[in-house]
C-alpha cells in the first residue's frame, strides 16, 4: 500500500500506529510489545508502525528521523525476542521531503506470537515469556482466553471468502456508461452577465444624466438597499464584477457536481459463507483532462454559512490526487454474505466535460478486509457518451 496514502487516509487502527520518534535503548522493550500486539491482531494484511509522524485531532506533524537506527539491528532485536519467527522490515521513506521510518510487519500466519524471554524496563520486568498481547482498534491490550481462541480459530479455519467477492456498479456490471456535462451556464457567469448589464446601464446614466445618477444611486448602502444589482452604484458593481468568480465558487461547485454531475455508487456482493469484516475499498482513477472528482460533498454558500449541526461530509469517500492518479478510499465495515451492499455511504461525485465524449476510463479497485487473506482486485470501465 502507498505509504503517503496510508498516512493521510487512515487514523491509528488495527493495522496502523504512528510514533513521533524512534524506539531507543530505554524503551526498546516497548517496540517488542507493539510488534507483538500487531502480529496477533485479527487482520490478514501487512501492519505498519510509522515513525516520525504525529497525527491527532489537531492535524498531522512530521518529525523527521535524521539519523535512523540500523535496519538490520532492529530486525535482529525483534527476531531475538519474539517467537515464532516473524517477518519484519525497517525502511526509510521520504514524506513531504523529510525522512521517516516505517516498521512493516507481514506474514503473520503463525499466530499467536509471544515474547521469547523476559524483557526488563527500568528496575523491573516489562514483558515475560508467553505473555499474549493483541491490537484491538487503536490500542494494545493484554489478550484474554477468548482472544486466544479466536486466534486459533482464524489460524486453522479454511476461508470461505477467497474468490467469493464481487464488485460492480449499481447496474450489476463492471462497466457503465455515464453522461458528460452539456454546455452549462455557471452561476458565476449568470451573475457576471447581470452585473455587466447593470454596470453599462449605470455608466450610461452617469455620463448622460449625472444629476439623476446621483439622486438615484449616489447614496447606495448595502444595509438599506440590499444586494439587488439594480440598486447598486458603479463602484459597487465594479467590485462585484472583479470578485464574481470567488463569490460564486461554492455555487459553481454545487452546480457542476451536485445538480448536473454524476453520483457514482458501487455494490459489493459477498457470495461466501461468512461476513466480510472491516472491509475497505481503494479505487485508482487516472488523472485525465476533462474528468473530475470532487473531494467533498458540494454545498452552497448558504449551507456553509448556516450552523445546522449536520456533518454534510460524514460518510463521503476520501479523495486524494497523487502521482498522476486520483485515489479514492472508503471504510465500508462489515459486509453480510448473500446481501448486496452499497460501497459508499454517500455516493462519489464526479463530472466529465465534452472532451471525454466517447472515451473509456479504466479504474482499478481493490477490496481489503480483516478476514480476506488476499486483497481482491477488479478492473472497472467507465464510458462517456
Amino acid at each position: 500500500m502507498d505509504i503517503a496514502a496510508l498516512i493521510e487516509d487512515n487514523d491509528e487502527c488495527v493495522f496502523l500506529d504512528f510514533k513521533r520518534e524512534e524506539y531507543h535503548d530505554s524503551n526498546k522493550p516497548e517496540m517488542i510489545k507493539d510488534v507483538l500486539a500487531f502480529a496477533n491482531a485479527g487482520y490478514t494484511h501487512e501492519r505498519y508502525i510509522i515513525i516520525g509522524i504525529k497525527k491527532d485531532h489537531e492535524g498531522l506533524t512530521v518529525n523527521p528521523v535524521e539519523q535512523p537506527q540500523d535496519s538490520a539491528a532492529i530486525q535482529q532485536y525483534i527476531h531475538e525476542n519474539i517467537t515464532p519467527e516473524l517477518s519484519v522490515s525497517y525502511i526509510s521513506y521520504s514524506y513531504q521531503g523529510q525522512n521517516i521510518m516505517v516498521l512493516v510487519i507481514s506474514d503473520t500466519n503463525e499466530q499467536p506470537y509471544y515474547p521469547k524471554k523476559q524483557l526488563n524496563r527500568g528496575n523491573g520486568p516489562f514483558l515475560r515469556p508467553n505473555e499474549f498481547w493483541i491490537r484491538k482498534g487503536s490500542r494494545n491490550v493484554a489478550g484474554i482466553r477468548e482472544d486466544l481462541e479466536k486466534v486459533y480459530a482464524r489460524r486453522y479455519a479454511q476461508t470461505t471468502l477467497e474468490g467469493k467477492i464481487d464488485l460492480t456498479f449499481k447496474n450489476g456490471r463492471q462497466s457503465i456508461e455515464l453522461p458528460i456535462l452539456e454546455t452549462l451556464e455557471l452561476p458565476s457567469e449568470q451573475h457576471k452577465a447581470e452585473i455587466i448589464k447593470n454596470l453599462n446601464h449605470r455608466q450610461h446614466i452617469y455620463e448622460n444624466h449625472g444629476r439623476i445618477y446621483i439622486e438615484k444611486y449616489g447614496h447606495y448602502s448595502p444595509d438599506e438597499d440590499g444586494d439587488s444589482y439594480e440598486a447598486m452604484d458603479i463602484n459597487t458593481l465594479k467590485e462585484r464584477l472583479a470578485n464574481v468568480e470567488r463569490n460564486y465558487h461554492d455555487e459553481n461547485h454545487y452546480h457542476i457536481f451536485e445538480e448536473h454531475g454524476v453520483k457514482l455508487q458501487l455494490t459489493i456482493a459477498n457470495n461466501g459463507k461468512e461476513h466480510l469484516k472491516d472491509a475497505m475499498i481503494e479505487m485508482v482513477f487516472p488523472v485525465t483532462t476533462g474528468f473530475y472528482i470532487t473531494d467533498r460533498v458540494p454545498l452552497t454558500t448558504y449551507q456553509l454559512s448556516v450552523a445546522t449541526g449536520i456533518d454534510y461530509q460524514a460518510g463521503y469517500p476520501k479523495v486524494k490526487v497523487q502521482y498522476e492518479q486520483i485515489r479514492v478510499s472508503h471504510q465500508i465495515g462489515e459486509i453480510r454474505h448473500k446481501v448486496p451492499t452499497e460501497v459508499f455511504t454517500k455516493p462519489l461525485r464526479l463530472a466529465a466535460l465534452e472532451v471525454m465524449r466517447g472515451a473509456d476510463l479504466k479504474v482499478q479497485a481493490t477490496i481489503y478486509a480483516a478476514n480476506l487473506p488476499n486483497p481482491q482486485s477488479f478492473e472497472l470501465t467507465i464510458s462517456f457518451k
Side-chain angles (χ1 to χ4, degrees):
M1 184 178 287
D2 182 271
I3 299 299
L6 193 68
I7 294 170
E8 294 164 7
D9 296 344
N10 298 276
D11 295 322
E12 291 184 343
C13 59
V14 72
F15 61 83
L16 178 64
D17 196 13
F18 297 111
K19 300 289 182 182
R20 186 177 182 277
E21 57 186 21
E22 282 191 300
Y23 300 94
H24 293 287
D25 290 342
S26 62
N27 70 339
K28 270 192 176 177
E30 187 75 37
M31 176 172 63
I32 299 300
K33 181 178 176 182
D34 290 341
V35 171
L36 281 169
F38 274 109
N40 287 323
Y43 185 74
T44 56
H45 311 305
E46 292 182 330
R47 306 108 200 269
Y48 304 84
I49 300 175
I50 299 181
I51 298 168
I53 297 292
K54 179 183 178 184
K55 189 174 182 182
D56 54 27
H57 65 280
E58 296 180 355
L60 187 154
T61 305
V62 181
N63 183 44
V65 182
E66 303 289 357
Q67 296 181 315
Q69 297 179 45
D70 180 66
S71 177
I74 294 292
Q75 290 174 296
Q76 182 64 27
Y77 182 75
I78 292 173
H79 292 323
E80 289 175 350
N81 288 285
I82 291 180
T83 186
E85 188 169 308
L86 186 63
S87 177
V88 296
S89 59
Y90 193 59
I91 59 175
S92 62
Y93 181 83
S94 179
Y95 179 70
Q96 297 183 355
Q98 302 186 80
N99 186 67
I100 61 174
M101 300 301 294
V102 184
L103 181 58
V104 185
I105 305 157
S106 55
D107 298 330
T108 56
N109 302 318
E110 299 297 321
Q111 294 177 338
Y113 294 90
Y114 297 103
K116 189 179 290 187
K117 57 188 177 183
Q118 179 169 304
L119 290 176
N120 297 324
R121 186 175 179 185
N123 296 322
F126 180 74
L127 285 174
R128 295 179 175 84
N130 298 321
E131 278 189 350
F132 178 62
W133 289 88
I134 188 169
R135 182 83 170 181
K136 293 185 177 181
S138 60
R139 299 184 302 118
N140 300 335
V141 300
I144 58 177
R145 177 176 176 175
E146 182 182 355
D147 297 318
L148 199 55
E149 289 174 348
K150 288 180 179 179
V151 164
Y152 282 110
R154 286 195 303 269
R155 180 173 173 179
Y156 296 114
Q158 185 174 12
T159 181
T160 59
L161 293 172
E162 193 75 26
K164 299 296 181 67
I165 306 302
D166 196 21
L167 177 70
T168 65
F169 294 107
K170 287 197 72 175
N171 62 6
R173 300 191 299 271
Q174 292 182 341
S175 61
I176 194 170
E177 192 174 76
L178 298 179
I180 64 166
L181 287 178
E182 302 294 343
T183 302
L184 296 178
E185 186 178 13
L186 297 176
S188 63
E189 295 170 343
Q190 296 171 357
H191 282 270
K192 183 177 181 180
E194 188 69 18
I195 293 169
I196 290 174
K197 182 185 77 172
N198 279 275
L199 183 57
N200 290 338
H201 178 255
R202 215 71 79 249
Q203 287 177 327
H204 175 78
I205 296 176
Y206 179 79
E207 292 168 1
N208 296 282
H209 307 283
R211 185 195 298 179
I212 294 176
Y213 174 84
I214 292 173
E215 290 176 352
K216 192 168 183 179
Y217 305 106
H219 305 286
Y220 168 75
S221 168
D223 293 335
E224 295 179 7
D225 301 309
D227 283 335
S228 171
Y229 295 137
E230 285 76 9
M232 292 179 183
D233 59 19
I234 289 175
N235 289 335
T236 303
L237 287 168
K238 286 183 175 179
E239 181 183 348
R240 290 296 183 96
L241 184 61
N243 296 303
V244 66
E245 296 290 342
R246 183 181 66 185
N247 290 343
Y248 290 95
H249 175 270
D250 294 325
E251 270 64 29
N252 286 348
H253 188 250
Y254 187 88
H255 190 69
I256 292 170
F257 289 103
E258 197 69 15
E259 294 184 331
H260 296 280
V262 173
K263 296 179 177 66
L264 188 69
Q265 183 61 274
L266 295 94
T267 300
I268 291 181
N270 175 2
N271 299 310
K273 296 181 179 179
E274 60 180 296
H275 293 189
L276 197 61
K277 298 177 182 178
D278 297 327
M280 183 189 95
I281 188 171
E282 184 177 57
M283 302 178 69
V284 179
F285 296 77
V287 171
T288 306
T289 301
F291 174 75
Y292 306 96
I293 300 176
T294 179
D295 62 355
R296 64 189 188 279
V297 174
L299 300 174
T300 64
T301 300
Y302 176 78
Q303 288 173 313
L304 289 166
S305 64
V306 176
T308 62
I310 300 173
D311 185 356
Y312 291 100
Q313 306 307 325
Y316 189 72
K318 292 184 178 180
V319 179
K320 297 280 186 180
V321 178
Q322 294 178 324
Y323 313 118
E324 299 302 313
Q325 296 176 330
I326 306 173
R327 307 182 74 92
V328 176
S329 60
H330 188 64
Q331 299 286 343
I332 307 170
E334 185 171 86
I335 300 175
R336 297 174 61 189
H337 59 291
K338 307 300 182 182
V339 179
T341 300
E342 290 188 344
V343 167
F344 302 125
T345 308
K346 291 181 179 175
L348 187 66
R349 272 69 166 174
L350 56 86
L353 304 183
E354 177 66 32
V355 68
M356 292 296 296
R357 188 184 294 276
D360 290 339
L361 204 65
K362 299 296 184 182
V363 181
Q364 305 302 317
T366 305
I367 303 293
Y368 301 87
N371 56 336
L372 195 60
N374 299 300
Q376 302 294 291
S377 297
F378 305 85
E379 184 176 82
L380 308 174
T381 302
I382 301 176
S383 301
F384 297 94
K385 61 182 179 180

